[in-house]
């Protein structure tokens, strides 16, 4: 686990998310508390439960992005689920335990990639030997010492040329395995889950491994062979053990749209179903053991971050037991015109930077003047107020509409320096933004 201070965590999140300091501080403290817990004496460590968080705020203000960037920063398994997709057992939908199973599968992928990096040097050596076998086919051992010595001398020459890249364009033929195993799922009382049976072991004779011969350049074959050799070297039992531990100790589950399963007073029908989903989620958030095909996983120390707009329902509409499991509540602020200006320019993945890079591939130098940025932000704020407030996502819609003509004509444009000013923005967007009916459909 990376040992970041709360201030460093907030600073890292600032690189991608504008504003929302209260939410950033809350998740920074939650992440730091995980590190602190690891330093506590073992007898007390298991007693310290994570303090789960509810983020309250409209769509497009950065709730999901904060959680996603936090998981990336912590190098932790992260899964985003929508509460509205879960239903009580017996209704159509996914069972709540699937969120933990998905988290474990993601952890296995993460750990497998890390283990593959550790054995990459050895895998590169093995891949090199396989490439030499392809470039110099024939018997590796020869009873004639002179022929054997000549072969080894030729092989050494090829190895030098291979390392220098002189053979990268030569064609070779490699064999790769093609999986012909059918995908099987069964319906269980807990939902649709993968069969906890190794079908390859049971029906190895019925479904033999098939290989496919592919012809490609040495440079492409090298990467494929390295991946194949690394996969052989990785100990999957170790990967599964480490992944389970990481899921239990550092996993983050982001439950979106939790307000959709909040039930109002005196509800019945769908309201009862919503409360049923809450009661299904409760034991997982409280801490229980979930059975997976890789073995049992405990949820006691998984960090749960829930979010919702809470336009109709309130956090107090959730059942009391579930409210108690989310002790930290942070309200995210609505985005203002000034926020839009910052979102367009400041983050590392700022929208203007993205569009400049995209059009740079067509040798077009796109330049946004300061008055154009202010005008884009103003239009975004106006449209959000008049129609549905979708936060920063409105900027994506507006930028696409604004640059529609340039993007379409880019390959044929003679003028490679394109300057966007406020007049151009008004010309492209004014009619749409002022006409409310058009804005509803186009922006």
């Amino acid at each position: 686990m990376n040992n970041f201070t709360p201030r460093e965590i907030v600073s890292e999140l600032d690189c991608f998310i504008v504003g929302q300091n209260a939410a950033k501080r809350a998740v920074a403290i939650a992440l730091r508390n995980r590190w602190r817990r690891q330093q506590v004496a073992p007898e007390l460590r298991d007693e310290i439960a994570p303090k789960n968080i509810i983020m309250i705020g409209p769509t497009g203000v950065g709730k999901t992005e904060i959680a996603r960037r936090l998981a990336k920063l912590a190098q932790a398994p992260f899964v985003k689920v929508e509460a509205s997709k879960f239903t009580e057992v017996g209704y159509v939908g996914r069972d709540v335990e699937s969120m933990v199973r998905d988290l474990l599968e993601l952890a296995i992928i993460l750990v497998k990639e890390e283990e593959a990096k550790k054995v990459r040097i050895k895998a590169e050596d093995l891949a090199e030997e396989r490439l030499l076998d392809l470039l110099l086919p024939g018997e590796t051992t020869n009873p004639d010492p002179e022929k054997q010595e000549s072969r080894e001398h030729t092989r050494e020459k090829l190895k030098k040329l291979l390392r220098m890249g002189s053979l990268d364009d030569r064609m070779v033929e490699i064999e790769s395995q093609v999986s012909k195993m059918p995908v099987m799922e069964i319906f269980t009382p807990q939902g649709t889950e993968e069969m906890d049976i190794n079908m390859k072991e049971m029906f190895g004779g019925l479904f033999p491994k098939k290989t496919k011969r592919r012809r490609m350049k040495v440079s492409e074959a090298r990467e494929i062979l390295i991946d194949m050799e690394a996969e052989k070297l990785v100990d999957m039992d170790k990967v599964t053990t480490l992944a389970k531990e990481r899921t239990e100790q550092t996993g983050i589950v982001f439950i979106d749209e939790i307000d959709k399963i909040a039930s109002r007073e005196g509800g019945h029908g769908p309201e009862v179903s919503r409360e049923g989903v809450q009661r299904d989620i409760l034991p997982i958030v409280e801490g229980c053991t979930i059975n997976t095909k890789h073995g049992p996983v405990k949820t006691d120390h998984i960090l749960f971050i829930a979010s919702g707009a809470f336009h109709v329902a309130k956090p107090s509409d959730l059942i009391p037991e579930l409210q108690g499991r989310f002790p930290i509540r942070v309200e995210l602020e609505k985005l203002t015109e000034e926020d839009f200006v910052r979102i367009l320019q400041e983050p590392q993945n700022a929208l203007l930077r993205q569009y400049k890079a995209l059009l740079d591939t067509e040798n077009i130098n796109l330049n946004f003047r300061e008055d154009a940025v202010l005008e884009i932000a103003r239009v975004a704020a106006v449209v959000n107020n008049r129609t549905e407030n979708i936060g920063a996502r409105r900027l994506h819609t507006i930028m696409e509409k604004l640059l529609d003509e340039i993007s379409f004509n880019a390959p044929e444009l003679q003028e490679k320096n394109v300057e966007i000013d406020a007049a151009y923005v008004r010309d492209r967007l004014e009619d749409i933004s002022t006409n409310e009916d058009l804005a509803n459909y186009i922006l």
Side-chain angles (χ1 to χ4, degrees), residues 133 136-152 155:
D133 291 340
L136 188 64
E139 291 290 329
T140 52
T141 56
N142 198 304
D144 188 335
E146 284 186 15
K147 286 184 178 177
Q148 179 64 20
E149 191 178 333
S150 172
R151 181 185 171 82
E152 285 177 5
R155 193 177 174 92

Side-chain angles (χ1 to χ4, degrees), residues 112-129:
K112 190 178 176 183
E113 285 174 357
E114 287 172 13
E115 292 297 306
K117 282 179 186 174
K118 290 179 186 176
V119 298
R120 185 173 172 89
I121 293 171
K122 192 175 180 182
E124 283 174 356
D125 291 340
L126 292 168
E128 186 178 70
E129 292 302 317

Side-chain angles (χ1 to χ4, degrees), residues 143-193:
D144 188 335
E146 284 186 15
K147 286 184 178 177
Q148 179 64 20
E149 191 178 333
S150 172
R151 181 185 171 82
E152 285 177 5
H153 183 66
T154 307
R155 193 177 174 92
E156 282 301 315
K157 273 187 177 179
L158 281 172
K159 187 182 280 190
K160 284 179 184 175
L161 291 169
L162 189 62
R163 288 179 176 176
M164 288 165 62
S166 302
L167 305 176
D168 281 359
D169 291 330
R170 191 175 288 192
M171 302 299 286
V172 290
E173 204 172 63
I174 66 167
E175 277 191 1
S176 57
Q177 284 185 8
V178 181
S179 176
K180 289 291 182 184
M181 277 292 297
V183 176
M184 293 191 70
E185 290 185 335
I186 57 170
F187 288 94
T188 68
Q190 287 76 36
T192 310
E193 299 301 334

Side-chain angles (χ1 to χ4, degrees), residues 101-355:
R101 295 190 183 100
D102 291 345
L103 190 66
L104 178 58
E105 292 297 333
L106 285 166
I108 287 171
I109 293 168
L110 277 174
V111 176
K112 190 178 176 183
E113 285 174 357
E114 287 172 13
E115 292 297 306
K117 282 179 186 174
K118 290 179 186 176
V119 298
R120 185 173 172 89
I121 293 171
K122 192 175 180 182
E124 283 174 356
D125 291 340
L126 292 168
E128 186 178 70
E129 292 302 317
R130 283 185 65 179
L131 272 174
L132 290 169
D133 291 340
L134 293 167
L135 291 164
L136 188 64
E139 291 290 329
T140 52
T141 56
N142 198 304
D144 188 335
E146 284 186 15
K147 286 184 178 177
Q148 179 64 20
E149 191 178 333
S150 172
R151 181 185 171 82
E152 285 177 5
H153 183 66
T154 307
R155 193 177 174 92
E156 282 301 315
K157 273 187 177 179
L158 281 172
K159 187 182 280 190
K160 284 179 184 175
L161 291 169
L162 189 62
R163 288 179 176 176
M164 288 165 62
S166 302
L167 305 176
D168 281 359
D169 291 330
R170 191 175 288 192
M171 302 299 286
V172 290
E173 204 172 63
I174 66 167
E175 277 191 1
S176 57
Q177 284 185 8
V178 181
S179 176
K180 289 291 182 184
M181 277 292 297
V183 176
M184 293 191 70
E185 290 185 335
I186 57 170
F187 288 94
T188 68
Q190 287 76 36
T192 310
E193 299 301 334
E194 294 175 39
M195 285 190 76
D196 193 13
I197 300 168
N198 193 331
M199 301 297 292
K200 284 183 183 175
E201 286 179 11
M202 287 180 64
F203 303 114
L206 290 175
F207 305 112
K209 289 178 181 176
K210 291 193 176 182
T211 57
K212 182 182 178 183
R213 297 189 73 83
R214 295 162 65 192
R215 192 168 174 78
M216 61 184 71
K217 289 182 180 179
V218 166
S219 54
E220 296 170 17
R222 183 191 279 114
E223 289 303 316
I224 290 171
L225 290 171
I226 289 170
D227 290 342
M228 286 166 68
E229 292 299 329
E231 197 166 333
K232 290 178 191 173
L233 292 168
V234 170
D235 181 356
M236 282 310 294
D237 289 334
K238 182 186 174 186
V239 166
T240 304
T241 304
L242 288 171
K244 279 171 66 179
E245 185 184 340
R246 192 175 294 189
T247 300
E248 291 178 345
Q249 301 300 324
T250 67
I252 298 173
V253 175
F254 183 76
I255 306 173
D256 201 5
E257 296 186 352
I258 200 165
D259 55 320
K260 301 290 192 300
I261 58 165
S263 51
R264 267 72 73 188
E265 290 293 322
H268 48 80
E271 302 293 333
V272 175
S273 180
R274 289 192 188 107
E275 189 171 316
V277 178
Q278 291 182 58
R279 295 202 178 278
D280 283 346
I281 290 174
L282 182 62
I284 295 173
V285 180
E286 280 182 333
C288 65
T289 302
I290 303 295
N291 289 317
T292 73
K293 66 177 181 180
H294 302 289
V297 174
K298 292 182 179 178
T299 66
D300 302 66
H301 299 290
I302 292 174
L303 175 66
F304 290 89
I305 301 174
S307 83
F310 289 99
H311 291 312
V312 180
K314 305 183 294 294
S316 56
D317 289 329
L318 294 167
I319 59 172
E321 300 93 325
L322 195 60
Q323 286 182 54
R325 288 293 162 180
F326 288 90
I328 302 170
R329 295 181 189 180
V330 285
E331 192 163 344
L332 284 84
E333 300 155 10
K334 287 183 179 178
L335 297 175
T336 62
E337 199 173 312
E338 291 74 23
D339 290 329
F340 287 143
V341 172
R342 293 181 61 198
I343 289 166
L344 285 165
Q345 295 176 309
E346 290 181 18
Q348 283 184 17
N349 58 341
L351 268 181
L352 298 189
R353 200 167 294 162
Q354 290 179 31
Y355 280 100

